[in-house]
């Protein structure tokens, strides 16, 4: 059996290596049009900041290593230009010499990836100081230019994962960095209420954010943008575009392979195209979302690896399938770690699913331990079944560990009840006996059982502006440091002696610092006959984090008297 693989990074290299492990006698040829094969594209931004000191270390494997260790023939600087399905060959062109030839195959795996979007509508997009980020040569070229021209002002266009990682790393080198993002927030997998924490972190570290803004031109020393129909300029010695990627489907289209609804190569559960001898994996394919059943594309290394394994197994006669994705991702933004999985609030709404969510801010480890810090955690679940749909976590501690728990349960069809029963490792330096995920699950269970009602952080501003009765059950000294404007302070420790100060004929919105004491207060009041109490999900810490960035950047009237994040 002869296998030909088009594209030698995560998906292609993994498929080739897996086939070799299953079939020692197979002839395997990998074509890669770039100079390098099997490099760490996810680590590229960290070369700009110095975390990765040597660009050569980004290259994980070489053609020589593939030949010696796996007996795989890897040909770099070799672009596959056509697929001839009738005679089962591909046309190959050397990007160095221009020489062309045909190579035969029995099975073909396409892993062409996706190319950075560089809109021609942007005036000056072809200038020497405009860059995209795709491979090792790109990132080396960016650093070389920045250093050679002593570029101090850099504009990063796009607030996705690559854009934010590039911005963070450039800021760590002392440069002035501005992020221009077309949406009203960065990092779309996170909902606005949580992503405000990351926007605050960027703001506090000196990265300027221009949200709901579009780059229109690159000129000498500046980037020209528009927002709300108004033009403005940002100083720019260099512009790095990270506004998204487009699946490379030209080969597939010209070969008559089916393209899906999301413009990716259409495949089945074995990663086969409509030609049973041609498979496709990675950023260029369309699979499906496990939670919604809808077709989709996901440009992440993890899914590409599993797709490659499924394709390789099927090629070698194993009945392995790739069932789809849920979308798990993580990022570091200066001093914070952030992770997400499954559906966020926006995606659940768009899919038409009945859902609710809880937001909690417990400590990530026992509070008296060194480096203990709050961890913002949002859990999305279906109602009334309580099926887990997604989670988001942001904090100084281990956000990924908590989200990985949810991702595992989602793949198993887990529910809120299942999450409550998960037994975790516990020691004061690592977590709390009731971990963050347990606190969220217990809160969700109480809501599903109608034990109390809640209102979300995003609704607090309108409550304050309408003069709603907000009850702050923190201690008096906490209230004096900072509080929601107009809130009534009755500490939980005094609540039972001051019930006459709390109205029974209008809604009472209760909050504390992290929602724990406010939950106790709601239980107490309901036990004393109050039927009008509502818990503020996320409580005071969540309110502060949600409001801070917009207050500082828009000049709007704060609803909090000073901000206290301790």
């Amino acid at each position: 059996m002869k296998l030909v693989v088009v594209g030698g990074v995560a998906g292609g290299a993994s498929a080739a290596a897996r086939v070799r492990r299953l079939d020692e006698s197979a002839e395997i040829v990998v074509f890669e049009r770039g100079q390098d094969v099997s490099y760490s594209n996810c680590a590229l931004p960290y070369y700009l900041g110095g975390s990765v000191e040597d660009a050569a270390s980004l290259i994980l494997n070489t053609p020589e290593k593939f030949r010696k260790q796996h007996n795989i023939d890897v040909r770099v600087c070799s672009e596959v230009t056509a697929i001839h399905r009738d005679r089962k060959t591909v046309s190959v062109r050397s990007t160095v010499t221009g020489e062309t030839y045909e190579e035969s195959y029995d099975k073909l795996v396409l892993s062409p990836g996706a190319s950075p979007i560089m809109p021609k509508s942007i005036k000056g997009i072809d200038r020497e100081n405009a860059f995209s980020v795709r491979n090792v040569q790109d990132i080396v070229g960016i650093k070389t230019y920045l250093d050679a021209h002593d570029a101090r002002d850099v504009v990063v266009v796009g607030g996705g994962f690559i854009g934010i990682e590039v911005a963070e790393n450039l800021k760590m080198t002392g440069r002035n960095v501005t992020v221009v993002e077309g949406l009203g927030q960065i990092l779309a997998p996170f909902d606005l209420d949580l992503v405000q924490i990351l926007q605050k972190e960027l703001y506090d570290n000196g990265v300027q954010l221009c949200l709901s803004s579009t780059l229109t031109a690159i000129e000498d020393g500046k980037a020209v943008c528009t927002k709300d129909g108004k033009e403005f300029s940002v100083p720019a010695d260099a512009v790095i575009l990270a506004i998204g990627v487009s699946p490379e489907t030209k080969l597939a289209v010209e070969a008559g392979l089916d393209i899906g609804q999301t413009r990716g190569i259409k495949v089945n559960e074995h990663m086969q195209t409509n030609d049973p001898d041609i498979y496709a994996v990675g950023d260029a394919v369309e699979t499906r979302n496990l939670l919604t059943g809808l077709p989709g594309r996901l440009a992440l290394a993890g899914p590409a690896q599993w797709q490659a394994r499924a394709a390789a197994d099927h090629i070698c006669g194993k009945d392995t399938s790739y069932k789809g994705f849920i979308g798990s991702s993580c990022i570091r933004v200066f001093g914070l770690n952030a992770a997400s999985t499954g559906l966020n609030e926006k995606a659940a709404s768009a899919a038409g699913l009945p859902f609710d969510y809880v937001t909690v801010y417990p400590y990530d480890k026992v509070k008296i331990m060194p480096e203990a810090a709050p961890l913002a955690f949002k859990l999305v679940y279906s109602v009334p079944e309580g099926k887990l749909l997604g989670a988001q976590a942001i904090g100084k501690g281990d956000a990924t560990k908590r989200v990985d728990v949810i991702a595992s349960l989602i793949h198993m069809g887990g529910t809120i009840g299942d999450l409550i029963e998960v037994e975790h490792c516990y020691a004061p330096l690592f977590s709390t006996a009731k971990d963050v995920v347990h606190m969220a699950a217990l809160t969700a269970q109480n809501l599903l059982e109608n034990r109390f009602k809640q209102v979300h952080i995003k609704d607090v501003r309108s409550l304050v502006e309408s003069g709603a009765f907000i009850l702050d059950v923190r201690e008096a000294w906490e209230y004096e440091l900072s509080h929601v404007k107009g809130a009534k302070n009755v500490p939980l420790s005094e609540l039972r002696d001051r019930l006459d100060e709390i109205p029974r004929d209008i809604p009472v919105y209760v909050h504390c610092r992290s929602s724990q004491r406010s939950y106790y207060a709601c239980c107490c009041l309901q036990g004393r006959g109050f039927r009008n109490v509502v818990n503020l999900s996320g409580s005071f810490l969540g309110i502060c984090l949600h409001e801070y960035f917009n207050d500082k950047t828009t000049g709007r009237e704060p609803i909090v008297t000073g901000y206290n994040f301790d």
Side-chain angles (χ1 to χ4, degrees):
M1 188 267 288
K2 182 176 181 180
L3 171 69
V4 168
V5 179
V6 179
V9 193
S14 296
R18 175 65 173 169
V19 168
R20 170 57 72 228
R21 293 194 295 274
L22 296 175
D23 186 350
E24 180 61 24
S25 65
E27 180 183 356
I28 305 174
V29 182
V30 177
F31 293 108
E32 169 56 48
R33 69 182 175 191
Q35 298 178 29
D36 304 305
V37 63
S38 192
Y39 56 87
S40 179
N41 47 3
C42 297
L44 295 177
Y46 298 94
Y47 176 65
L48 295 177
S51 297
V52 176
E53 296 181 2
D54 183 5
S57 65
L58 292 166
I59 301 171
L60 304 178
N61 271 309
T62 63
E64 182 68 10
K65 190 174 179 180
F66 268 105
R67 184 184 66 80
K68 287 184 175 181
Q69 292 191 353
H70 306 295
N71 190 26
I72 294 175
D73 180 7
V74 175
R75 305 176 195 176
V76 296
C77 301
S78 298
E79 181 181 12
V80 173
T81 58
I83 302 169
H84 310 291
R85 293 167 57 190
D86 55 343
R87 56 183 184 270
K88 299 186 75 169
T89 65
V90 295
S91 294
V92 185
R93 181 182 69 86
S94 168
T95 61
V96 177
T97 66
E99 174 193 3
T100 61
Y101 61 96
E102 285 193 18
E103 189 79 25
S104 65
Y105 68 83
D106 295 315
K107 300 292 183 180
L108 178 65
V109 174
L110 302 179
S111 183
S115 56
I117 296 173
M118 300 285 283
K120 296 298 182 182
S121 59
I122 299 174
K123 182 181 178 182
I125 192 72
D126 296 324
R127 293 173 66 101
E128 66 169 352
N129 65 334
F131 303 92
S132 64
V133 180
R134 181 175 186 176
N135 54 37
V136 176
Q137 285 69 46
D138 289 342
I139 210 72
V140 170
I142 292 171
K143 190 174 189 304
T144 300
Y145 181 91
L146 296 178
D147 293 344
H149 293 80
D150 191 27
R152 307 311 304 162
D153 298 314
V154 182
V155 170
V156 178
V157 185
F161 286 87
I162 295 297
I164 297 303
E165 289 169 347
V166 166
E168 177 200 39
N169 278 275
L170 290 175
K171 188 61 185 179
M172 291 170 67
T173 64
R175 291 180 166 87
N176 304 315
V177 181
T178 300
V179 174
V180 177
E181 166 57 47
L183 300 177
Q185 67 166 82
I186 61 170
L187 299 172
F190 295 88
D191 284 316
L192 182 60
D193 52 358
L194 251 68
V195 86
Q196 295 283 23
I197 303 170
L198 298 177
Q199 293 181 166
K200 174 186 181 299
E201 184 73 1
L202 289 165
Y203 177 85
D204 289 348
N205 281 276
V207 175
Q208 301 302 309
L209 294 180
C210 298
L211 302 176
S212 302
S213 302
T214 304
L215 176 71
T216 57
I218 303 170
E219 300 178 356
D220 289 335
K222 64 181 181 180
V224 181
C225 307
T226 59
K227 179 177 182 177
D228 298 328
K230 298 179 181 179
E231 187 175 281
F232 66 95
S233 296
V234 180
D237 299 319
V239 177
I240 301 172
L241 286 98
I243 58 178
V245 294
S246 177
E248 297 223 6
T249 58
K250 184 173 182 289
L251 265 179
V253 170
E254 292 178 349
L257 301 180
D258 290 345
I259 303 300
Q261 298 177 34
T262 60
R263 298 182 297 109
I265 302 171
K266 192 172 183 178
V267 293
N268 64 16
E269 69 274 17
H270 304 300
M271 308 311 296
Q272 282 176 300
T273 67
N274 54 298
D275 184 324
D277 291 323
I278 302 179
Y279 297 72
V281 301
D283 296 357
V285 305
E286 175 184 279
T287 55
R288 71 182 185 94
N289 187 302
L290 275 177
L291 288 161
T292 66
L294 299 174
R297 293 185 292 109
L298 191 66
L300 291 175
Q305 297 268 358
W306 294 117
Q307 293 164 10
R309 187 179 182 90
D313 282 5
H314 196 257
I315 287 170
C316 295
K318 290 173 61 68
D319 188 24
T320 302
S321 62
Y322 177 75
K323 296 179 175 61
F325 63 86
I326 61 173
S328 300
S329 55
C330 57
I331 188 172
R332 182 199 70 187
V333 181
F334 293 103
L336 296 178
N337 304 308
S340 69
T341 191
L343 303 180
N344 58 21
E345 182 187 348
K346 298 187 296 288
S349 295
L353 299 176
F355 74 97
D356 200 357
Y357 62 90
V358 296
T359 309
V360 296
Y361 289 80
Y363 275 85
D364 56 8
K365 59 192 71 173
V366 174
K367 186 176 180 179
I368 60 175
M369 290 293 106
E371 300 181 352
L375 185 70
F377 189 84
K378 182 173 184 176
L379 186 64
V380 184
Y381 56 92
S382 70
V383 290
E385 301 88 357
K387 183 179 178 181
L388 297 172
L389 297 179
Q392 302 158 49
I394 301 174
K396 294 180 180 180
D398 197 340
T400 58
K401 175 175 76 172
R402 275 73 183 202
V403 168
D404 282 343
V405 170
I406 309 303
S408 299
L409 285 173
I410 287 176
H411 272 284
M412 299 174 69
T415 65
I416 293 296
D418 295 325
L419 180 56
I420 290 172
E421 295 180 2
V422 169
E423 181 179 337
H424 285 204
C425 297
Y426 161 65
L429 285 170
F430 298 100
S431 61
T432 54
K434 285 181 181 175
D435 189 66
V436 171
V437 298
H438 293 127
M439 298 297 288
L442 290 166
T443 303
Q445 184 186 55
N446 285 333
L447 288 167
L448 287 169
E449 294 176 352
N450 295 313
R451 293 186 60 82
F452 71 95
K453 297 177 181 179
Q454 71 171 358
V455 66
H456 297 297
I457 292 170
K458 63 183 181 181
D459 300 317
V460 174
R461 173 169 284 274
S462 62
L463 292 175
V464 173
E465 292 174 346
S466 66
F469 189 94
I470 297 176
L471 178 63
D472 185 337
V473 297
R474 297 176 301 155
E475 293 300 315
W477 66 267
E478 295 176 274
Y479 180 87
E480 289 300 323
L481 283 175
S482 179
H483 60 267
V484 174
K485 290 181 178 179
K488 170 75 172 179
N489 181 223
V490 180
L492 177 63
S493 58
E494 304 173 13
L495 183 61
R496 290 172 179 82
D497 297 325
R498 297 174 59 181
L499 294 178
D500 58 342
E501 299 178 34
I502 301 168
R504 294 175 179 266
D505 58 343
I506 59 173
V508 174
Y509 299 94
V510 189
H511 81 81
C512 61
R513 179 186 175 279
S514 65
S515 290
Q516 189 174 57
R517 284 174 288 177
S518 61
Y519 168 61
Y520 297 157
C522 285
C523 290
C524 171
L525 292 171
Q526 288 175 167
R528 298 298 180 105
F530 287 80
R531 297 291 178 263
N532 56 326
V533 292
V534 182
N535 194 42
L536 289 180
S537 176
S539 265
F540 186 70
L541 182 57
I543 295 168
C544 289
L545 291 168
H546 183 261
E547 294 291 313
Y548 175 89
F549 174 77
N550 277 333
D551 288 355
K552 293 295 184 182
T553 56
T554 65
R556 70 183 185 184
E557 181 68 24
I559 62 170
V560 176
T561 60
Y563 288 97
N564 178 26
F565 301 103
D566 295 332

